[in-house]
Amino acid sequence: MKLANRLSRCIAVALCLYGVGGAARAETLKVYWNAGHAYQAYADVIKKFEVDHPGWTVEWGRFQWPDLRTKLVADLSVGNAPDLVAEPGGWVPEFGLQGMITPLNDFVAKDGKEMGYPQDWQDFSVERNTIDGKYYGIQLHLTCAALVYNVDMLKEAGFVKPPANWQEFREVAIATSKRGRFGFAPNQVATYYTPWIYQNGGALYDAAAKKVAFDSPQSAQAIQFVADLIHKDKAAPLPVAGADYEGPQKLFTAGRAAMILTGPWDVSPIKTGNPKLNWDVAQSLTEKQQATMAGGVSLFIPKTAKHPAEAWDLLKRFVALDTELAASLPNGMTMPRKSWAADPKVKADPVLGKFSQCLPYAVDSAAKLSLTGKNAVVQDLFKTAVQDILYNDRPAQEVLSDYAARANAALANK
């Protein structure tokens, strides 16, 4: 009798763990995420997923971007892929071209209409995750940079509204520079110079010619404009070299810079760093055209993921409109859905509403370059060129032509 009871208990446990067909019901879904984006809204999504999938656990790994990439590459190399990955931009084309990402077309064909994909996403956020007509990622966050300015500093200098073009920007920058304060605080990160290039009708890369375009006269004029603010007009400080992109935000928050170019990622540090600061957000400048840089996070499913169907289910929940709203409003994050930007709560937000307006004209300068597989090499050369111009006060056209020749040689080297 004791043996029979023991056997019954074993069978009961087995039935809890296994389905009729013998497949294990208790599973773990591995997700790699950025630590700075571990919003409560996403924790709630995970909790609901686990309720809807009895026996399943979501292993929500949260890392800084460099650490996430290191772990991801190591795990992919040994066949221990996560099921769902968040990436900061550029990884989707990189890993997609290497055949390491699951194409999502079958999933989109089944669920796209219901979830509003791709029609409800900003067009370029779809393009940046598409290779040869195949969807390799879905945009989760979509950010852009706008002109952030100190209202009181501009008023003190006689300006009742922010600048709208380069001439007005230069006038404001010069007029607000005095007594240890600067009109504009530029960033040392090279990406922050691409808005100037696109505003002047230039580009980082010419896909038709299969060559870089950052040495064009339009691009050189753009970088020279910023360099002249530093060296000739004395209206901007030389950016501090290093890995920290927060330097301009810190100057602005301290009331030592009248204007910076930044995105929603700096909203919280400004608010908490100086609650009394009277500041506002303006739309990006228009020279030959209105433009700014785009950024953001996408989600993808590795080719060797053990649970792609469940990963897709979780992905859909993360990018749902109600989740976007729940994540964005408390955290100041901008999102890729057109319906998110049109939502009354977003429009009414004094900061998010203004950042959302720059998404339609934002440019992902590396989208087409990433498809060459040489994005990292070219970006490093562009960064070095910008630093050479800024720190050594060398002519922009001369320097950019030199580094463009090196970049094109790298592109031509198969």
Side-chain angles (χ1 to χ4, degrees):
M1 183 64 68
K2 290 183 179 180
L3 180 60
N5 289 339
R6 198 174 302 136
L7 183 59
S8 297
R9 285 196 297 268
C10 290
I11 293 173
V13 171
L15 288 174
C16 289
L17 294 175
Y18 293 88
V20 175
R25 291 176 57 193
E27 296 283 0
T28 298
L29 197 72
K30 289 174 58 177
V31 178
Y32 288 179
W33 207 261
N34 176 257
H37 298 151
Y39 303 149
Q40 183 59 47
Y42 298 143
D44 293 342
V45 164
I46 290 173
K47 186 182 299 183
K48 182 65 166 59
F49 175 90
E50 292 177 336
V51 169
D52 293 342
H53 295 74
W56 283 70
T57 300
V58 175
E59 185 181 294
W60 196 20
R62 284 150 285 185
F63 316 89
Q64 298 301 326
W65 288 125
D67 297 331
L68 194 158
R69 183 180 175 89
T70 299
K71 181 167 179 55
L72 175 64
V73 171
D75 287 351
L76 290 176
S77 68
V78 297
N80 186 33
D83 296 294
L84 185 63
V85 179
E87 61 89 47
W91 296 6
V92 166
E94 177 187 352
F95 290 114
L97 288 169
Q98 297 176 32
M100 302 175 74
I101 297 180
T102 299
L104 303 175
N105 289 52
D106 289 344
F107 291 121
V108 172
K110 179 172 64 75
D111 299 324
K113 184 176 181 180
E114 180 183 354
M115 63 187 287
Y117 194 85
Q119 292 82 5
D120 194 33
W121 267 249
Q122 298 288 346
D123 294 342
F124 75 91
S125 74
V126 177
E127 294 167 6
R128 73 197 307 205
N129 288 308
T130 303
I131 304 173
D132 296 332
K134 293 183 179 180
Y135 305 120
Y136 283 90
I138 304 290
Q139 199 78 33
L140 173 70
H141 301 156
L142 190 63
T143 59
C144 59
L147 182 64
V148 173
Y149 66 99
N150 184 309
V151 176
D152 292 336
M153 288 179 70
L154 264 66
K155 282 185 178 179
E156 183 183 316
F159 299 96
V160 296
K161 62 180 182 179
N165 56 47
W166 287 13
Q167 180 179 344
E168 292 178 2
F169 183 88
R170 182 170 179 263
E171 291 172 356
V172 173
I174 293 173
T176 52
S177 295
K178 57 182 178 180
R179 298 191 300 273
R181 299 189 303 181
F182 296 96
F184 174 58
N187 207 298
Q188 58 88 20
V189 178
T191 308
Y192 282 82
Y193 295 83
T194 58
W196 302 97
I197 288 176
Y198 281 89
Q199 287 167 14
N200 203 37
L204 192 70
Y205 175 68
D206 184 341
K210 297 182 179 180
K211 291 184 177 181
V212 298
F214 62 69
D215 60 332
S216 69
Q218 297 92 332
S219 300
Q221 289 167 7
I223 306 299
Q224 192 66 60
F225 176 80
V226 182
D228 287 348
L229 287 172
I230 298 170
H231 298 288
K232 291 185 178 179
D233 299 326
K234 309 300 180 183
L238 196 64
V240 177
D244 184 6
Y245 70 87
E246 299 173 341
Q249 175 269 120
K250 292 175 180 176
L251 283 174
F252 183 82
T253 302
R256 294 189 56 212
M259 299 180 290
I260 60 173
L261 181 66
T262 192
W265 50 87
D266 272 339
V267 170
S268 181
I270 294 171
K271 285 183 175 180
T272 56
N274 191 348
K276 296 182 179 180
L277 190 70
N278 185 15
W279 63 284
D280 205 348
V281 179
Q283 290 306 293
S284 301
L285 301 175
T286 301
E287 189 60 12
K288 292 180 180 176
Q289 62 188 27
Q290 189 174 38
T292 189
M293 65 183 187
V297 173
S298 295
L299 300 174
F300 70 86
I301 301 172
K303 189 80 170 179
T304 52
K306 295 180 177 65
H307 311 292
E310 288 75 17
W312 172 254
D313 182 25
L314 184 58
L315 184 156
K316 286 192 303 178
R317 296 164 186 249
F318 281 137
V319 302
L321 178 59
D322 58 346
T323 305
E324 283 197 355
L325 292 168
S328 68
L329 293 169
N331 299 291
M333 180 56 69
T334 48
M335 300 293 181
R337 280 181 177 265
K338 298 173 185 176
S339 56
W340 171 86
D343 188 276
K345 292 186 289 293
V346 173
K347 285 186 171 182
D349 189 286
V351 175
L352 273 183
K354 292 173 181 175
F355 275 116
S356 69
Q357 294 173 29
C358 73
L359 292 173
Y361 59 77
V363 179
D364 182 357
S365 60
K368 294 181 180 178
L369 179 59
S370 295
L371 298 178
T372 67
K374 302 292 180 67
N375 180 52
V377 174
V378 172
Q379 294 283 6
D380 282 345
L381 288 167
F382 176 64
K383 176 183 72 175
T384 306
V386 169
Q387 292 175 342
D388 196 2
I389 295 165
L390 297 182
Y391 297 121
N392 299 320
D393 193 17
R394 292 185 58 197
Q397 185 66 74
E398 175 186 319
V399 174
L400 292 172
S401 295
D402 177 20
Y403 281 92
R406 305 185 199 185
N408 287 326
L411 287 170
N413 184 9
K414 303 298 182 182

